[in-house]
Amino acid sequence: MTAPTKDPAEIYRRSFAIIRAEADLARFDGGAEAVVVRMIHACGMVDLADDIRVSPEFPGAAQAALARGAPVICDVEMVRHGIIPRLMPAGNEVLCLLNDPRVRDIASRDATTRSAAQVDLWAERMEGAVIAIGNAPTALFRLLELLDQGAAKPAAIIGVPVGFVGAVESKAELAASSRGVEFLTVAGRRGGSALASSAVNALAGGLEGHG
């Protein structure tokens, strides 16, 4: 059996056309719609659109941050590696501090996960940044705690941790109160690194060539 086409551009075009035909995207404006389409493309589930929650100014705030060179801070290496460097409009740094040698001591001291502990190290880089959390609910909870404690606000939060323990609750908390930060999340258990990185790529892709 042969593939219908081997042209990458045509595959993308047809994929996005199918997504737009099958998914209910009516409630998303142009910027948000582009992000949602990319996220659906990353997971193959058109009904994901029903669970996406996005604040009105999220696309513009995130793209403006990327355009001025803000870093993208990720909770896991899978998210970091899923972000396409050539799309970064200003050569933006994409970082994950999970393996920073300081993290284990913080986790031990606070009796928490390494994913949550690394968030304490984000504070010095967080102002105006784009945060992409795709794996760890504890990281999202800790981020919200830091914001409650007066930490500098990022420009935008992509909070889509996946899982069965804490994922639903952390994302519901973000949607209920994003602490004044523009956000995107996925209600329920679904989420993951591919969704987080695809959202960043969609935002950055709209700026390609304008850095």
Side-chain angles (χ1 to χ4, degrees):
M1 183 176 180
T2 58
T5 179
K6 296 180 181 179
D7 176 32
E10 177 64 9
I11 291 170
Y12 273 107
R13 187 196 68 77
R14 290 174 61 179
S15 295
F16 293 159
I18 291 169
I19 291 167
R20 288 190 166 91
E22 296 186 5
D24 183 1
L25 304 172
R27 64 189 177 89
F28 302 108
D29 65 17
E33 179 186 301
V35 176
V36 173
V37 168
R38 281 279 185 173
M39 292 173 71
I40 292 171
H41 184 258
C43 70
M45 295 177 282
V46 294
D47 67 320
L48 185 76
D50 300 335
D51 291 335
I52 290 178
R53 308 288 182 263
V54 57
S55 61
E57 303 302 321
F58 167 79
Q63 287 192 317
L66 293 175
R68 62 176 173 261
V72 181
I73 305 175
C74 310
D75 66 324
V76 292
E77 291 290 340
M78 287 180 66
V79 175
R80 185 174 74 84
H81 285 290
I83 294 171
I84 302 170
R86 67 170 176 80
L87 296 180
M88 293 293 104
N92 309 63
E93 184 179 10
V94 180
L95 66 152
C96 172
L97 299 180
L98 187 61
N99 295 315
D100 187 290
R102 296 170 289 176
V103 167
R104 287 192 180 278
D105 288 341
I106 297 171
S108 178
R109 180 195 70 197
D110 296 344
T112 190
T113 67
R114 288 171 56 233
S115 296
Q118 69 165 326
V119 179
D120 286 26
L121 302 179
W122 294 359
E124 60 191 29
R125 301 293 306 278
M126 203 159 66
E127 186 171 8
V130 174
I131 307 294
I133 297 174
N135 184 73
T138 57
L140 181 52
F141 274 129
R142 181 57 181 153
L143 173 61
L144 296 175
E145 288 176 354
L146 286 182
L147 293 174
D148 286 338
Q149 293 167 12
K153 292 182 180 180
I157 299 169
I158 298 165
V160 292
V162 63
F164 297 89
V165 178
V168 173
E169 294 84 357
S170 66
K171 292 182 288 186
E173 178 64 21
L174 174 63
S177 176
S178 65
R179 281 62 172 177
V181 180
E182 300 300 328
F183 75 94
L184 178 147
T185 192
V186 176
R189 294 172 171 174
R190 290 188 292 185
S193 299
L195 293 186
S197 58
S198 67
V200 175
N201 289 335
L203 293 162
L207 296 167
E208 188 175 7
H210 300 284

